[in-house]
Amino acid sequence: MDDLRQKYIDLVASAPDESALEDLRVQAVGKKGEISLKMRELGRMTPQERQVAGPALNALKDEINAALAAKKAALADAALDERLKGEWLDVTLPGRTRRHGTIHPVSQVTEEVTAIFADMGFSVAEGPQIDSDWYNFDALNIPGHHPARAEMDTFYMARAEGDNRPPHVLRTHTSPVQIRHMEQHGAPCRIIAPGRVYRADYDQTHTPMFHQVEGLAIDRDISMANLKWVLEEFFTAFFGTKVITRFRASHFPFVEPGAEIDIQCSFEGGTVKVGEGDDWLEVLGSGMVHPKVLQAANVDPDQWQGFAFGMGIDRIAMLKYGIPDLRAFFESDLRWLRHYGFSALDVPTLHGGVSR
Ligand code: PHE
């Protein structure tokens, strides 16, 4: 019996895993195990022999069962230790930072422009980027022979042969929104219309797609003086410094009189500084809305008059934030976007982020 005890104690101690342990259990104390077979022999013994062997066999069985249970627990502990080692985690390590996206300068400046004009009572209107040539040209008093209609500036939509719908273009300016807005809402009105426009042009200051903001104010007695005040008020708020404007007579078919507007700036030291110096920078076209334009939009030119202007959003964004090349605006280079982009929390308001 001592041999038997020693054999199983040693085997249990060296069992490598739970399944080996289970095999041992069957082999020793299972129904046909070695100990069980020995117990069957008790029946053939004399009562005296049985009185000694019975308790001894029972004790041996208990001892082996206890050794099996202890080994099983030890194996489970070891397995848990092993797993914990693999799942070790240093909770004191700094977290991985996640990149935040940025707001594109065009979006930011559009919001800034909107906030400033909203404060002066202008609401925002929008129109389609693909428009008929009537809205983009005819209604704006741009006759068929005007150079702005030449194929080289304007992107025309392809039309299948036999398609009789009027020609459509990628709008070349935001001015068609003037017509669409007045058609729908009549006069008086005071709106700005920011959005994308398209022209076949590409160099450091021109891209085939760019952004404009249109302005339109129609009432009974609106004059060029109102235009000048509104623009100077706008530029002063936008650039955060007193900005004066210079009106130069110019021609746009949809205004009379028409003017190109320059803002005061200095080019000293190779950088542009707005609001100081003796130089001028052209930033927009404007004028008094032509009577034919009012008529095209079903507004009576004998009752109503007003001003319109069109300004390049990308242009004033470059000026305000010192961005040298327009083409980079639309290349989606992440390095550029991270450098010139704005935090989503930097929301433009008149008292906060508009100028800095
Ligand atoms: N639509 C003109 C342009 O794209 C700008 C403009 C708008 C001029 C309104 C006068 C009045 O250049």
Side-chain angles (χ1 to χ4, degrees), residues 83-341:
R83 218 183 100 198
L84 288 178
K85 240 186 265 170
E87 289 176 7
W88 184 83
L89 182 71
D90 183 354
V91 294
T92 67
L93 280 176
R96 286 194 196 98
T97 52
R98 287 210 214 171
R99 288 263 188 199
H100 289 272
T102 55
I103 303 295
H104 195 284
V106 171
S107 304
Q108 182 79 9
V109 166
T110 302
E111 292 294 321
E112 293 174 6
V113 169
T114 304
I116 298 169
F117 279 107
D119 192 57
M120 293 191 276
F122 287 76
S123 52
V124 173
E126 281 180 310
Q129 291 176 41
I130 299 173
D131 215 338
S132 69
D133 65 348
W134 188 82
Y135 280 105
N136 195 78
F137 295 127
D138 299 80
L140 289 162
N141 192 33
I142 304 175
H145 55 77
H146 194 277
R149 278 210 186 195
E151 294 276 350
M152 41 170 310
D153 288 325
T154 309
F155 292 110
Y156 281 85
M157 304 303 290
R159 269 195 310 174
E161 194 143 351
D163 185 341
N164 291 324
R165 286 176 300 178
H168 277 63
V169 299
L170 292 179
R171 67 179 182 192
T172 58
H173 50 181
T174 43
S175 301
V177 185
Q178 291 183 32
I179 308 294
R180 289 183 170 276
H181 184 81
M182 286 190 287
E183 264 182 349
Q184 284 223 331
H185 303 280
C189 71
R190 231 187 261 197
I191 53 136
I192 57 165
R196 291 182 172 173
V197 299
Y198 303 83
R199 287 179 205 175
D201 213 348
Y202 187 73
D203 61 35
Q204 192 178 338
T205 52
H206 296 90
T207 50
M209 185 280 297
F210 59 106
H211 300 80
Q212 283 190 336
V213 57
E214 194 79 7
L216 178 69
I218 303 290
D219 212 321
R220 303 220 177 252
D221 53 6
I222 288 191
S223 72
M224 292 286 271
N226 300 125
L227 171 63
K228 188 166 175 94
W229 182 85
V230 163
L231 290 178
E232 291 195 348
E233 195 74 4
F234 165 74
F235 284 119
T236 298
F238 182 75
F239 288 107
T241 178
K242 177 77 193 147
V243 179
I244 55 171
T245 59
R246 182 173 76 172
F247 279 45
R248 269 182 301 108
S250 183
H251 176 73
F252 300 95
F254 33 93
V255 286
E256 183 57 40
E260 276 174 325
I261 315 292
D262 305 333
I263 54 176
Q264 178 200 9
C265 71
S266 102
F267 290 111
E268 251 161 62
T271 54
V272 195
K273 287 207 190 79
V274 175
E276 55 187 78
D278 306 323
D279 285 307
W280 298 95
L281 196 71
E282 188 203 319
V283 283
L284 57 86
S286 66
M288 296 299 290
V289 178
H290 198 289
K292 283 191 180 169
V293 173
L294 296 172
Q295 250 158 7
N298 300 318
V299 168
D300 181 358
D302 293 329
Q303 300 283 325
W304 305 98
Q305 64 178 32
F307 65 75
F309 62 83
M311 177 162 56
I313 293 181
D314 324 79
R315 194 86 201 283
I316 60 170
M318 290 169 81
L319 273 178
K320 179 168 178 178
Y321 295 112
I323 310 175
D325 193 320
L326 179 62
R327 292 168 295 195
F329 273 64
F330 311 117
E331 278 167 4
S332 301
D333 184 330
L334 277 176
R335 292 164 301 178
W336 188 93
L337 292 168
R338 280 172 192 147
H339 182 78
Y340 287 111

